[in-house]
PDB file of all heavy atoms in Angstrom:
ATOM      1  N   ASP A   5      -2.989 -25.643   1.677  1.00  0.00           N
ATOM      2  CA  ASP A   5      -2.132 -26.745   1.281  1.00  0.00           C
ATOM      3  C   ASP A   5      -2.646 -28.043   1.911  1.00  0.00           C
ATOM      4  O   ASP A   5      -2.834 -28.093   3.122  1.00  0.00           O
ATOM      5  CB  ASP A   5      -0.676 -26.439   1.758  1.00  0.00           C
ATOM      6  CG  ASP A   5       0.302 -27.390   1.165  1.00  0.00           C
ATOM      7  OD1 ASP A   5      -0.060 -28.494   0.743  1.00  0.00           O
ATOM      8  OD2 ASP A   5       1.498 -27.018   1.095  1.00  0.00           O
ATOM      9  N   PRO A   6      -2.802 -29.122   1.126  1.00  0.00           N
ATOM     10  CA  PRO A   6      -3.123 -30.427   1.726  1.00  0.00           C
ATOM     11  C   PRO A   6      -2.165 -30.850   2.757  1.00  0.00           C
ATOM     12  O   PRO A   6      -2.519 -31.636   3.650  1.00  0.00           O
ATOM     13  CB  PRO A   6      -3.151 -31.342   0.519  1.00  0.00           C
ATOM     14  CG  PRO A   6      -3.374 -30.449  -0.674  1.00  0.00           C
ATOM     15  CD  PRO A   6      -2.680 -29.206  -0.323  1.00  0.00           C
ATOM     16  N   ALA A   7      -0.894 -30.427   2.700  1.00  0.00           N
ATOM     17  CA  ALA A   7       0.096 -30.780   3.680  1.00  0.00           C
ATOM     18  C   ALA A   7      -0.233 -30.246   5.049  1.00  0.00           C
ATOM     19  O   ALA A   7       0.360 -30.594   6.064  1.00  0.00           O
ATOM     20  CB  ALA A   7       1.472 -30.321   3.249  1.00  0.00           C
ATOM     21  N   ALA A   8      -1.231 -29.307   5.116  1.00  0.00           N
ATOM     22  CA  ALA A   8      -1.605 -28.742   6.389  1.00  0.00           C
ATOM     23  C   ALA A   8      -2.669 -29.665   7.072  1.00  0.00           C
ATOM     24  O   ALA A   8      -3.285 -29.241   8.066  1.00  0.00           O
ATOM     25  CB  ALA A   8      -2.142 -27.364   6.247  1.00  0.00           C
ATOM     26  N   ALA A   9      -2.912 -30.786   6.532  1.00  0.00           N
ATOM     27  CA  ALA A   9      -3.942 -31.675   7.059  1.00  0.00           C
ATOM     28  C   ALA A   9      -3.716 -31.932   8.529  1.00  0.00           C
ATOM     29  O   ALA A   9      -2.605 -32.086   9.016  1.00  0.00           O
ATOM     30  CB  ALA A   9      -3.964 -32.984   6.266  1.00  0.00           C
ATOM     31  N   VAL A  10      -4.792 -32.014   9.288  1.00  0.00           N
ATOM     32  CA  VAL A  10      -4.734 -32.222  10.749  1.00  0.00           C
ATOM     33  C   VAL A  10      -4.377 -33.630  11.079  1.00  0.00           C
ATOM     34  O   VAL A  10      -4.967 -34.573  10.626  1.00  0.00           O
ATOM     35  CB  VAL A  10      -6.099 -31.832  11.410  1.00  0.00           C
ATOM     36  CG1 VAL A  10      -6.076 -32.067  12.864  1.00  0.00           C
ATOM     37  CG2 VAL A  10      -6.396 -30.364  11.099  1.00  0.00           C
ATOM     38  N   LEU A  11      -3.292 -33.792  11.918  1.00  0.00           N
ATOM     39  CA  LEU A  11      -2.883 -35.080  12.350  1.00  0.00           C
ATOM     40  C   LEU A  11      -3.764 -35.596  13.505  1.00  0.00           C
ATOM     41  O   LEU A  11      -4.220 -36.731  13.462  1.00  0.00           O
ATOM     42  CB  LEU A  11      -1.427 -35.009  12.879  1.00  0.00           C
ATOM     43  CG  LEU A  11      -0.905 -36.299  13.461  1.00  0.00           C
ATOM     44  CD1 LEU A  11      -0.623 -37.316  12.423  1.00  0.00           C
ATOM     45  CD2 LEU A  11       0.374 -36.010  14.279  1.00  0.00           C
ATOM     46  N   ALA A  12      -4.051 -34.794  14.480  1.00  0.00           N
ATOM     47  CA  ALA A  12      -4.828 -35.188  15.629  1.00  0.00           C
ATOM     48  C   ALA A  12      -5.669 -34.051  16.152  1.00  0.00           C
ATOM     49  O   ALA A  12      -5.623 -33.760  17.311  1.00  0.00           O
ATOM     50  CB  ALA A  12      -3.876 -35.711  16.710  1.00  0.00           C
ATOM     51  N   GLY A  13      -6.385 -33.391  15.263  1.00  0.00           N
ATOM     52  CA  GLY A  13      -7.247 -32.307  15.661  1.00  0.00           C
ATOM     53  C   GLY A  13      -6.409 -30.989  15.754  1.00  0.00           C
ATOM     54  O   GLY A  13      -5.220 -30.969  15.606  1.00  0.00           O
ATOM     55  N   ASP A  14      -7.124 -29.923  16.054  1.00  0.00           N
ATOM     56  CA  ASP A  14      -6.451 -28.621  16.188  1.00  0.00           C
ATOM     57  C   ASP A  14      -6.761 -27.968  17.502  1.00  0.00           C
ATOM     58  O   ASP A  14      -6.589 -26.767  17.645  1.00  0.00           O
ATOM     59  CB  ASP A  14      -6.848 -27.728  15.016  1.00  0.00           C
ATOM     60  CG  ASP A  14      -8.359 -27.425  14.979  1.00  0.00           C
ATOM     61  OD1 ASP A  14      -9.061 -27.946  15.830  1.00  0.00           O
ATOM     62  OD2 ASP A  14      -8.746 -26.633  14.089  1.00  0.00           O
ATOM     63  N   GLY A  15      -7.182 -28.742  18.459  1.00  0.00           N
ATOM     64  CA  GLY A  15      -7.528 -28.196  19.795  1.00  0.00           C
ATOM     65  C   GLY A  15      -6.352 -27.470  20.505  1.00  0.00           C
ATOM     66  O   GLY A  15      -6.529 -26.660  21.364  1.00  0.00           O
ATOM     67  N   HIS A  16      -5.105 -27.861  20.094  1.00  0.00           N
ATOM     68  CA  HIS A  16      -3.933 -27.250  20.745  1.00  0.00           C
ATOM     69  C   HIS A  16      -3.519 -25.992  20.042  1.00  0.00           C
ATOM     70  O   HIS A  16      -2.623 -25.284  20.576  1.00  0.00           O
ATOM     71  CB  HIS A  16      -2.754 -28.256  20.706  1.00  0.00           C
ATOM     72  CG  HIS A  16      -2.253 -28.565  19.391  1.00  0.00           C
ATOM     73  ND1 HIS A  16      -3.020 -29.248  18.471  1.00  0.00           N
ATOM     74  CD2 HIS A  16      -1.065 -28.394  18.785  1.00  0.00           C
ATOM     75  CE1 HIS A  16      -2.304 -29.422  17.324  1.00  0.00           C
ATOM     76  NE2 HIS A  16      -1.108 -28.895  17.519  1.00  0.00           N
ATOM     77  N   LEU A  17      -4.113 -25.620  18.923  1.00  0.00           N
ATOM     78  CA  LEU A  17      -3.731 -24.456  18.185  1.00  0.00           C
ATOM     79  C   LEU A  17      -4.323 -23.170  18.761  1.00  0.00           C
ATOM     80  O   LEU A  17      -5.514 -23.168  19.094  1.00  0.00           O
ATOM     81  CB  LEU A  17      -4.136 -24.578  16.703  1.00  0.00           C
ATOM     82  CG  LEU A  17      -3.548 -25.751  15.904  1.00  0.00           C
ATOM     83  CD1 LEU A  17      -4.073 -25.702  14.485  1.00  0.00           C
ATOM     84  CD2 LEU A  17      -2.068 -25.787  15.961  1.00  0.00           C
ATOM     85  N   THR A  18      -3.500 -22.159  18.823  1.00  0.00           N
ATOM     86  CA  THR A  18      -4.051 -20.855  19.205  1.00  0.00           C
ATOM     87  C   THR A  18      -4.875 -20.264  18.072  1.00  0.00           C
ATOM     88  O   THR A  18      -4.753 -20.706  16.918  1.00  0.00           O
ATOM     89  CB  THR A  18      -2.901 -19.889  19.552  1.00  0.00           C
ATOM     90  OG1 THR A  18      -1.943 -19.939  18.553  1.00  0.00           O
ATOM     91  CG2 THR A  18      -2.244 -20.273  20.918  1.00  0.00           C
ATOM     92  N   ALA A  19      -5.696 -19.297  18.361  1.00  0.00           N
ATOM     93  CA  ALA A  19      -6.677 -18.818  17.396  1.00  0.00           C
ATOM     94  C   ALA A  19      -6.023 -18.363  16.080  1.00  0.00           C
ATOM     95  O   ALA A  19      -6.545 -18.675  14.997  1.00  0.00           O
ATOM     96  CB  ALA A  19      -7.405 -17.577  17.991  1.00  0.00           C
TER      97      ALA A  19
END
Side-chain angles (χ1 to χ4, degrees):
D5 192 336
V10 175
L11 174 74
D14 62 359
H16 66 297
L17 300 181
T18 49

